[in-house]
Amino acid sequence: YKQVGYLLNRNLKTYWRSPEFSLSRILVVILVGIIITATFWQQEYKTAADTQSRIISVSFMLMLTGAYNLFTIMPFQIEKRAVLFREISSGMYSAIAAVMSDGFVEMPYLVAETIVGVNIVYWGIGFQESADAYIYYTITFFLYLYLMTSLGMFLASLLPDALSAQLSATVVIQVFQLFAGVIVPHDKLPSYYKFLYYVSAQRYSTEAIITTQFHGDLTELCIPNGMKITDAPWPFKKRINGHFCSEDGHFHGLGAFTGIVQNAEEFVYNSDNAFLHGYDYDDRYMDFLVLACWCIGLRILTVITALTVDHNKR
């Protein structure tokens, strides 16, 4: 504990004296949040495209902020790696203490990023006004930022230089994004790629946020587009009104339908042909557990690499 306390105090001073690193991330989160919020300000969703853009805004915010944390932490860690390895090998402190202090020093900055980023986007776009949904969004956002920061620390410890670490990180980000279930739904993936759906950390983050946002959401949507028909005459009244859509919401004959009416929850994840087929609201706690395991696993791997890999050149 004394070693962790000493190193944490030193790291806090280092972060405080490096505002171009520590504060730039918060500024980027603010900038990205403002851009996304301006694009989807108080968005109403009445069609498939509206709802899909709402989902993409969540995925995009996670991807961008997580990627920025990942890419900025690696050169910062590599810059101080020589001192770290030399002091660990000389017995000044343990690798566990060094990795723990690196994790702890990030906490206040990640909390600040989360509070700023979530509140700008959440209330600006107009997500669910439910306390549960807001808490799920906030916790998931924080866990994903911590996961990506931990991944950057691990790659910085494992690989010989910043270039190789950043190239590897690019591959990881692409895998996380492509197999998160948003760009390509789970049931559309070839069988030999399906395992990557379960590996993608972004999939668990997106599932936790999206399913809690749309759980119980009975907003009526026209799939794929149009407006709900309400004036179909007898004998079509019962079967068409409230079930089918047209361009202007009026009945123009049986061949003029532009879509069917479906509630938001069913369209997003809770039906056999859902946009995010494979996502499940009941898995929200499992999503938290998987993200936490990712974070812990990456911290353990960083300790192992700090003990076994030495990039210092003699």
Side-chain angles (χ1 to χ4, degrees), residues 256-271:
F257 299 140
T258 59
I260 62 171
V261 176
Q262 189 176 26
N263 70 54
E265 179 183 333
E266 291 177 345
F267 170 71
V268 173
Y269 73 91
N270 197 17
S271 64

Side-chain angles (χ1 to χ4, degrees), residues 176 211 236 270 276:
F176 280 3
T211 57
F236 306 112
N270 197 17
L276 298 178

Side-chain angles (χ1 to χ4, degrees), residues 68-87:
Y68 190 79
N69 274 31
L70 172 62
F71 281 108
T72 53
I73 193 67
M74 288 187 292
F76 186 76
Q77 288 291 111
I78 289 173
E79 186 178 344
K80 63 177 187 176
R81 186 173 62 188
V83 174
L84 176 70
F85 285 160
R86 184 169 61 248
E87 291 177 347

Side-chain angles (χ1 to χ4, degrees), residues 207-219:
E207 180 179 48
I209 292 176
I210 295 300
T211 57
T212 52
Q213 283 299 314
F214 286 96
H215 178 65
D217 188 343
L218 302 180
T219 302

Side-chain angles (χ1 to χ4, degrees), residues 39-90:
T39 305
F40 301 103
W41 176 258
Q42 295 299 306
Q43 183 200 41
E44 293 184 359
Y45 50 106
K46 298 180 180 179
T47 66
D50 294 339
T51 311
Q52 288 166 352
S53 66
R54 199 174 184 85
I55 293 168
I56 293 299
S57 71
V58 171
S59 178
F60 193 64
M61 183 70 176
L62 279 172
M63 186 271 291
L64 272 185
T65 52
Y68 190 79
N69 274 31
L70 172 62
F71 281 108
T72 53
I73 193 67
M74 288 187 292
F76 186 76
Q77 288 291 111
I78 289 173
E79 186 178 344
K80 63 177 187 176
R81 186 173 62 188
V83 174
L84 176 70
F85 285 160
R86 184 169 61 248
E87 291 177 347
I88 290 175
S89 61
S90 64

Side-chain angles (χ1 to χ4, degrees), residues 85-225:
F85 285 160
R86 184 169 61 248
E87 291 177 347
I88 290 175
S89 61
S90 64
M92 289 183 64
Y93 46 80
S94 68
I96 294 176
V99 172
M100 287 179 65
S101 66
D102 283 345
F104 288 146
V105 75
E106 282 287 338
M107 290 293 185
Y109 294 95
L110 295 178
V111 168
E113 284 184 71
T114 300
I115 292 173
V116 171
V118 167
N119 283 286
I120 290 175
V121 172
Y122 199 94
W123 305 115
I125 293 179
F127 286 125
Q128 293 280 359
E129 295 182 2
S130 154
D132 286 347
Y134 175 77
I135 291 170
Y136 277 117
Y137 194 116
T138 303
I139 294 175
T140 304
F141 192 85
F142 172 81
L143 284 173
Y144 190 71
L145 287 183
Y146 190 78
L147 186 157
M148 296 301 282
T149 304
S150 298
L151 176 61
M153 291 181 176
F154 167 63
L155 293 176
S157 179
L158 175 67
L159 297 169
D161 52 54
L163 178 60
S164 59
Q166 289 173 339
L167 289 173
S168 300
T170 301
V171 174
V172 174
I173 289 173
Q174 295 303 318
V175 170
F176 280 3
Q177 177 77 358
L178 182 59
F179 297 99
V182 176
I183 296 176
V184 183
H186 174 256
D187 58 340
K188 298 293 191 296
L189 287 171
S191 57
Y192 47 85
Y193 280 142
K194 285 187 183 293
F195 76 97
L196 291 172
Y197 174 79
Y198 298 101
V199 170
S200 171
Q202 189 170 332
R203 170 248 164 159
Y204 297 98
S205 305
T206 310
E207 180 179 48
I209 292 176
I210 295 300
T211 57
T212 52
Q213 283 299 314
F214 286 96
H215 178 65
D217 188 343
L218 302 180
T219 302
E220 292 184 332
L221 310 175
C222 279
I223 311 299
N225 54 57

